Amino acid sequence: MSYRVRVLARAWRDLDEILGYIAARSPDGAARLLDRFDQELSRLEGNP
């Protein structure tokens, strides 16, 4: 069974701000963080 995970607009804004901060110092680090975030969202959809 698959579930729908809602991420609030505030959380997306926070993530965007965090990624911008990290990207200014380490673009690869920001990309890794975003990939990991996407992986964890997918994992939550399958097993909340």
Side-chain angles (χ1 to χ4, degrees), residues 2-13:
S2 182
Y3 295 90
R4 183 170 179 227
V5 176
R6 279 186 28 192
V7 180
L8 300 178
R10 171 72 190 259
W12 286 120
R13 286 191 304 268

Side-chain angles (χ1 to χ4, degrees), residues 5-42:
V5 176
R6 279 186 28 192
V7 180
L8 300 178
R10 171 72 190 259
W12 286 120
R13 286 191 304 268
D14 287 348
L15 179 62
D16 188 52
E17 196 173 308
I18 291 165
L19 289 171
Y21 177 84
I22 294 171
R25 290 147 184 82
S26 173
D28 290 339
R32 285 193 306 270
L33 175 61
L34 184 57
D35 287 344
R36 182 65 186 259
F37 186 81
D38 288 338
Q39 288 173 7
E40 294 303 323
L41 278 181
S42 295

